[in-house]
């Protein structure tokens, strides 16, 4: 009896677990290891995604050339043939009679296809030959105002019309904001007039539209007074509503002696651009919220 009691005490001291408990403990340990790996992988993926986000307030539309016409539905509405020659991009129906209703029913060359807006500029000539840009990007930006103002930028109202630049400029410093440069050739200084680009390069046109709206009018008598440029990183009290800055970037397949070039409106410093906003309200609002207000660089699809 004494021998049996000692064996019983030794057995109780070891507390041997049944086999099924070892299996449960092993499965729990494996599950914990998997969860730790998943958490680590998830955190790494999130960090990588965050690192890929470019902190620039921007979305864009790529809108190739569609047609030419001596029309201008903003400055000379319902007067076909009354304007100098314009090259049109985006909406494929634009003519002298265009209005919001007609443009909304038409097609577009833009990517994204939801952008039915119309964009146009005076046609460029190399001697007597018309030259159309092969790169046609329209950037919607938050730059030009402080970050706290960027976060309050509002979408363009549907039907807003804006004209930028000075078609009647008589010199490079005559109230013009357009500029010309050479693609991939920063050694050539930008200019308000045409520049001499090296062989194999392309001549670029940059034009920034005003980004402060008076909050009331979709157009004005001079087609400019309802809009203004920022002052000191904010919109002036006369035009208190910040909207995206539209930057028009056109790349023309020409180079060499700029004496050969002219615009339908005159010298290079007469470059100007017209914009008729026909973005669907929801599409524009989503891009302004997710790209510009959030200060994130987005592509044509409105995503980072």
């Amino acid at each position: 009896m004494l021998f049996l009691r000692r064996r019983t005490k030794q057995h109780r001291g070891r507390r041997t677990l049944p086999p099924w408990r070892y299996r449960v403990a092993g499965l729990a340990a494996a599950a914990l290891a998997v969860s730790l790996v998943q958490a680590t992988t998830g955190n790494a993926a999130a960090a990588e995604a965050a690192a890929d986000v470019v902190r620039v307030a921007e979305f864009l539309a790529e809108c190739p050339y569609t047609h030419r016409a001596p029309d201008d539905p903003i400055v000379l509405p319902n007067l076909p043939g009354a304007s100098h020659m314009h090259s049109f991009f985006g909406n494929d129906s634009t003519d002298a009679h265009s209005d919001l209703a007609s443009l909304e029913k038409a097609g577009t060359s833009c990517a994204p296809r939801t952008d039915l807006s119309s964009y146009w500029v005076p046609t460029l000539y190399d001697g007597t030959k018309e030259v159309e840009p092969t790169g046609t990007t329209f950037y919607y930006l938050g730059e030009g105002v402080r970050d706290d103002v960027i976060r309050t930028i509002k979408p363009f109202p549907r039907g807003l019309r804006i004209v930028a630049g000075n078609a009647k400029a008589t010199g490079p410093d005559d109230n013009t904001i357009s500029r010309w440069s050479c693609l991939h050739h920063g050694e050539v200084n930008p200019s308000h007039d045409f520049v001499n680009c090296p062989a194999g390069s392309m001549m670029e046109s940059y034009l920034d539209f005003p980004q402060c709206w008076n909050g009331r009018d979709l157009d004005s008598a001079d087609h400019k007074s309802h809009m203004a440029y920022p002052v000191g990183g904010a919109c002036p009290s006369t035009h208190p509503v910040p909207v995206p800055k539209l930057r028009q970037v056109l790349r023309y397949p020409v180079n060499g002696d700029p004496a050969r070039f002219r615009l339908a409106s005159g010298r290079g410093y007469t470059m100007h651009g017209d914009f008729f906003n026909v973005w669907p309200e929801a599409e524009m609002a989503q891009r302004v919220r997710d790209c510009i207000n959030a200060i994130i660089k987005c592509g044509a699809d409105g995503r980072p």
Side-chain angles (χ1 to χ4, degrees):
M1 293 294 292
L2 180 59
F3 177 74
L4 290 176
R5 280 198 300 271
R6 286 177 179 173
R7 290 188 62 186
T8 301
K9 287 180 181 180
Q10 290 174 353
H11 177 74
R12 288 176 180 172
R14 288 201 306 267
R15 296 184 58 83
T16 303
L17 295 174
W20 66 269
R21 289 186 178 247
Y22 286 109
R23 289 196 297 271
V24 170
L27 290 172
L32 177 60
V34 169
S35 65
L36 288 173
V37 170
Q38 289 176 336
T40 303
T41 304
N43 290 339
E48 183 178 353
D52 289 340
V53 171
V54 179
R55 302 297 296 176
V56 174
E58 172 189 309
F59 66 93
L60 57 84
E62 299 281 357
C63 302
Y65 164 78
T66 56
H67 62 288
R68 279 190 300 271
D71 293 349
D72 191 328
I74 293 179
V75 178
L76 296 166
N78 301 311
L79 294 173
S83 173
H84 52 247
M85 189 64 71
H86 280 113
S87 297
F88 293 88
F89 314 93
N91 197 294
D92 60 16
S93 72
T94 314
D95 61 21
H97 301 288
S98 293
D99 57 18
L100 182 59
S102 68
L103 293 171
E104 286 183 322
K105 297 175 183 175
T108 181
S109 66
C110 290
R113 306 291 290 181
T114 51
D115 181 13
L116 297 177
S117 301
S118 185
Y119 311 83
W120 62 95
V121 299
T123 300
L124 175 69
Y125 292 85
D126 184 349
T128 59
K129 180 182 178 182
E130 299 96 341
V131 179
E132 299 302 346
T134 55
T136 52
T137 306
F138 298 88
Y139 295 93
Y140 292 77
L141 306 168
E143 69 174 50
V145 294
R146 300 187 310 265
D147 281 3
D148 61 306
V149 179
I150 291 176
R151 298 186 188 282
T152 68
I153 284 177
K154 305 299 182 186
F156 284 126
R158 193 169 62 97
L160 181 69
R161 282 147 280 177
I162 315 177
V163 177
N166 185 1
K168 298 180 179 180
T170 58
D173 298 318
D174 189 8
N175 193 32
T176 183
I177 59 168
S178 61
R179 59 196 186 278
W180 296 87
S181 62
C182 301
L183 178 63
H184 303 320
H185 284 274
E187 74 277 8
V188 179
N189 291 328
S191 172
H192 292 306
D193 207 349
F194 299 124
V195 290
N196 193 333
C197 295
S201 182
M202 298 175 70
M203 193 163 61
E204 297 180 300
S205 170
Y206 284 76
L207 182 63
D208 286 351
F209 285 65
Q211 64 192 109
C212 299
W213 178 44
N214 67 10
R216 301 184 309 274
D217 305 309
L218 298 178
D219 199 359
S220 50
D222 63 358
H223 314 293
K224 292 187 176 183
S225 297
H226 60 303
M227 302 296 299
Y229 288 90
V231 178
C235 287
S237 59
T238 54
H239 296 76
V241 182
V243 293
K245 174 198 285 188
L246 176 62
R247 172 171 293 163
Q248 168 186 289
V249 180
L250 306 177
R251 293 173 174 173
Y252 292 89
V254 295
N255 52 66
D257 184 4
R260 309 190 328 261
F261 308 133
R262 68 179 177 88
L263 292 169
S265 54
R267 294 284 295 274
Y269 45 74
T270 66
M271 176 54 114
H272 55 284
D274 297 61
F275 168 61
F276 199 130
N277 176 41
V278 198
W279 278 89
E281 289 181 330
E283 293 283 343
M284 169 67 72
Q286 176 265 309
R287 285 166 169 78
V288 169
R289 180 187 68 244
D290 296 345
C291 308
I292 292 184
N293 296 154
I295 312 183
I296 292 175
K297 182 181 178 69
C298 295
D301 62 354
R303 307 295 177 191

